[in-house]
Amino acid sequence: MPPRYWIITLLLICGTSFSAQAASQPADPQVLHVLNRLGYGPRPGDIDRVATIGVKRYIQEQLSPDSIQEPATLTAKLTQLETLKLPPTQLIQSFRLARMQRQQGQSATANLPRQVLEEAMTARLLRAIDSPRQLQEVLTDFWYNHFNVFAGKGLDRVLVGSYEQQAIRPHTLGRFRDLLEATARHPAMLFYLDNWQNTAPNSSGARGRFRGLNENYARELMELHTLGVKGGYTQQDVIALARILTGWGFCRPNQPEAVTNNGFCFEAQRHDFGDKVFLGQTIKGSGIAEVETALDILARHPATARHISYKLAQYFVADRPPQTLVERLTQRFQATDGDLREVLRTLFQSPEFWDTQSYGAKFKTPYQYVVSSLRATGTDLPNFRPILGQLQQMGMPLYGCQTPDGYKNTQDAWLNADAMTRRLNFATVLASGRLPALSAGIKASGKPVPSVDGIRLAQTLGDRFSPNTTTAIAQSPPQLRAALILGSPEFMRR
């Protein structure tokens, strides 16, 4: 560990009072709890606003994100991202054109895939940091990980932004069944888990690379997306679902355009039209409608209700959530036909959510840590490349999880010595105004970027620190205080 981090660590275990210098009243712990769990932590002024309107009204607002007006500055920044609204069909065509031009040594649109991915990442970070619809942003991250797609796999480099924009965001507070189908129809998922090649072996369309069953998507659809690993399905169910999904893919060159223009295409000549027995129910061979029936069965299965409820409780309450809460959420999921807004409303009203033992108990993932740091310090970055590099170094590149289970959100996955060193390094450069993107701003404007004011940062975060942390901050030079706060045990958790 570099010497300056030993200094920080030593300061954190020394002792006198910092609260007198901060000269503010510690924030209501319930206010801090909702800001940290329903969002990525407070920005300057957030605590006062929630304290004024009350935590119940804040939760109600967050459950209805369309009722919250987004700032014009955020909308203007998003509008500048030209590739953000391109439909999948156009993105796929652009990717193929860029690949062909690279092979021919041309460069006119060869860099387009990189631009598309960077703009998708920029949009995600802009919203997470600046949007007042914080629950919407937290849920986008949650559901993206649940239905993970890896950007490093060929075509998905240009599709992950569209996937998040069109398949995830519109359904984060809707019905789980709709979310499930939106991800199942998007080309990003169909390419990532290889279902676009899934073909009935004896069908008229079985030729070339489309010769046989591919069970990848069928297996993950049950194990990860719906029933869970202990959901009671068998290998025969995996095979039956793979047969149901044959011909389910995305449009390729010279294929008729998808009606919805989302790039989805069903190739009947590659489909298995035989009857199937899936999870004890017979599904008559009928083509594209078979998947609709299968998704209905999966979305309404008790194991799915339990699996989704457990994951939501783990994300919002504790790494090992109380069984009573999971059962209550499961019942609500089933009673409302998978209405996610109502399941979350039950969660946020539960005694388990408001148990003070759970306050600050969840260890932040690298993504949560970086986003909450930028929010708390009010940092306005001209570009996000250094942040994307930080996430890469911390082991959590955006859209970069290779495995279909997505990134974990538990302490076991992220708390280790190397992770702490990298976080303290980030805290130091951010607090001192030496983040590379900010340094570039110095050259452009000729004006130095000021370091983060420690007392103001402490007030933004509610001035609720342990005696050790308060003492360490009080004994440190003013220019080191913000880094100590961002590196404190309290800020590592949410």
Side-chain angles (χ1 to χ4, degrees):
M1 183 182 291
R4 65 176 180 275
Y5 304 133
W6 285 114
I7 294 172
I8 292 173
T9 304
L10 288 171
L11 285 169
L12 285 171
I13 59 175
C14 298
T16 61
S17 176
F18 174 65
S19 57
Q21 295 186 48
S24 66
Q25 192 71 19
D28 182 339
Q30 288 193 341
V31 171
L32 283 176
H33 187 53
V34 295
L35 284 169
N36 281 314
R37 290 294 171 88
L38 275 68
Y40 292 111
R43 300 191 77 181
D46 278 358
I47 289 176
D48 288 343
R49 180 179 180 277
V50 177
T52 299
I53 67 173
V55 293
K56 288 184 179 179
R57 180 176 165 186
Y58 176 76
I59 291 172
Q60 184 58 36
E61 284 182 354
Q62 293 298 316
L63 286 169
S64 302
D66 290 344
S67 68
I68 305 171
Q69 186 172 3
E70 290 194 310
T73 50
L74 173 59
T75 303
K77 289 177 181 176
L78 293 172
T79 302
Q80 292 175 6
L81 305 175
E82 297 177 354
T83 66
L84 200 60
K85 295 181 180 178
L86 293 179
T89 48
Q90 192 170 340
L91 290 167
I92 293 170
Q93 291 171 2
S94 299
F95 180 82
R96 288 176 173 140
L97 177 60
R99 183 173 58 185
M100 184 179 69
Q101 290 182 335
R102 278 198 305 274
Q103 291 171 346
Q104 296 173 349
Q106 302 172 6
S107 61
T109 61
N111 292 325
L112 184 63
R114 179 177 178 179
Q115 179 190 349
V116 172
L117 181 58
E118 283 193 353
E119 291 193 350
M121 292 173 168
T122 298
R124 164 72 86 86
L125 288 169
L126 274 173
R127 287 174 167 134
I129 296 165
D130 292 342
S131 175
R133 302 173 180 177
Q134 282 287 284
L135 180 59
Q136 170 75 20
E137 297 312 309
V138 163
L139 289 172
T140 296
D141 182 53
F142 173 86
W143 287 116
Y144 191 98
N145 279 313
H146 183 81
F147 293 104
N148 183 55
V149 166
F150 173 48
K153 184 175 180 178
L155 190 57
D156 277 331
R157 186 177 182 83
V158 295
L159 289 175
V160 289
S162 164
Y163 176 68
E164 176 182 305
Q165 187 76 14
Q166 298 172 11
I168 303 290
R169 284 186 172 276
H171 305 289
T172 55
L173 284 160
R175 290 178 67 239
F176 178 75
R177 170 65 176 80
D178 296 335
L179 175 60
L180 184 64
E181 179 166 351
T183 57
R185 282 181 175 271
H186 200 281
M189 178 62 78
L190 294 166
F191 181 78
Y192 174 52
L193 291 178
D194 306 318
N195 200 79
W196 68 290
Q197 295 177 318
N198 186 15
T199 304
N202 298 317
S203 63
S204 61
R207 57 182 179 275
R209 67 175 66 186
F210 306 102
R211 285 191 176 279
L213 281 182
N214 189 308
E215 301 173 7
N216 287 358
Y217 180 47
R219 187 179 306 281
E220 306 303 357
L221 188 52
M222 287 191 283
E223 179 176 324
L224 298 176
H225 299 171
T226 56
L227 306 179
V229 68
K230 298 179 181 178
Y233 61 89
T234 67
Q235 176 59 23
Q236 290 307 308
D237 291 317
V238 174
I239 294 172
L241 186 54
R243 291 175 59 207
I244 290 169
L245 284 162
T246 47
W248 192 271
F250 58 88
C251 304
R252 290 173 289 118
N254 304 320
Q255 252 184 319
E257 183 60 73
V259 175
T260 60
N261 199 35
N262 72 350
F264 171 80
C265 274
F266 173 69
E267 292 188 63
Q269 69 273 24
R270 295 197 291 113
H271 183 66
D272 181 338
F273 279 89
D275 294 347
K276 295 92 175 175
V277 177
F278 176 57
L279 292 172
Q281 300 187 43
T282 299
I283 297 179
K284 301 290 289 185
S286 57
I288 191 171
E290 295 173 43
V291 176
E292 301 287 339
T293 303
L295 294 180
D296 285 342
I297 293 171
L298 288 168
R300 291 172 176 155
H301 198 287
T304 297
R306 192 176 307 111
H307 181 55
I308 300 302
S309 296
Y310 181 91
K311 290 193 69 172
L312 286 170
Q314 183 182 63
Y315 187 92
F316 284 103
V317 177
D319 286 1
R320 295 180 180 177
Q323 189 60 32
T324 52
L325 175 61
V326 176
E327 289 299 326
R328 198 177 311 122
L329 298 182
T330 301
Q331 292 171 12
R332 191 61 178 154
F333 188 103
Q334 293 179 288
T336 61
D337 196 20
D339 186 326
L340 298 172
R341 180 181 283 105
E342 292 308 312
V343 174
L344 285 167
R345 194 190 307 278
T346 300
L347 191 156
F348 297 143
Q349 292 175 346
S350 71
E352 292 87 352
F353 178 76
W354 290 108
D355 187 338
T356 55
Q357 294 295 316
S358 74
Y359 290 12
K362 288 284 294 185
F363 190 73
K364 293 177 181 176
T365 67
Y367 180 75
Q368 291 164 346
Y369 178 75
V370 168
V371 171
S372 63
S373 298
L374 294 170
R375 283 178 58 78
T377 54
T379 304
D380 186 17
L381 293 171
N383 71 74
F384 286 105
R385 285 183 180 173
I387 299 304
L388 296 172
Q390 288 289 338
L391 290 170
Q392 179 92 28
Q393 290 180 25
M394 293 179 182
M396 197 176 187
L398 196 51
Y399 308 125
C401 183
Q402 298 186 33
T403 54
D405 54 348
Y407 290 121
K408 303 288 188 296
N409 65 75
T410 53
Q411 177 173 298
D412 291 347
W414 300 112
L415 179 54
N416 56 68
D418 181 66
M420 294 303 293
T421 300
R422 293 182 186 280
R423 290 187 186 202
L424 293 173
N425 186 19
F426 175 72
T428 303
V429 295
L430 176 62
S432 62
R434 291 189 288 110
L435 203 62
L438 295 173
S439 300
I442 296 174
K443 295 178 182 177
S445 67
K447 298 178 181 177
V449 177
S451 58
V452 177
D453 184 290
I455 293 198
R456 187 172 301 172
L457 177 61
Q459 292 169 349
T460 295
L461 296 172
D463 276 328
R464 297 197 74 90
F465 301 102
S466 70
N468 278 351
T469 300
T470 303
T471 298
I473 296 169
Q475 292 184 332
S476 67
Q479 64 271 23
L480 190 56
R481 289 175 179 167
L484 285 170
I485 292 170
L486 296 176
S488 68
E490 291 82 1
F491 193 75
M492 295 291 169
R493 297 179 177 276
R494 61 184 178 95

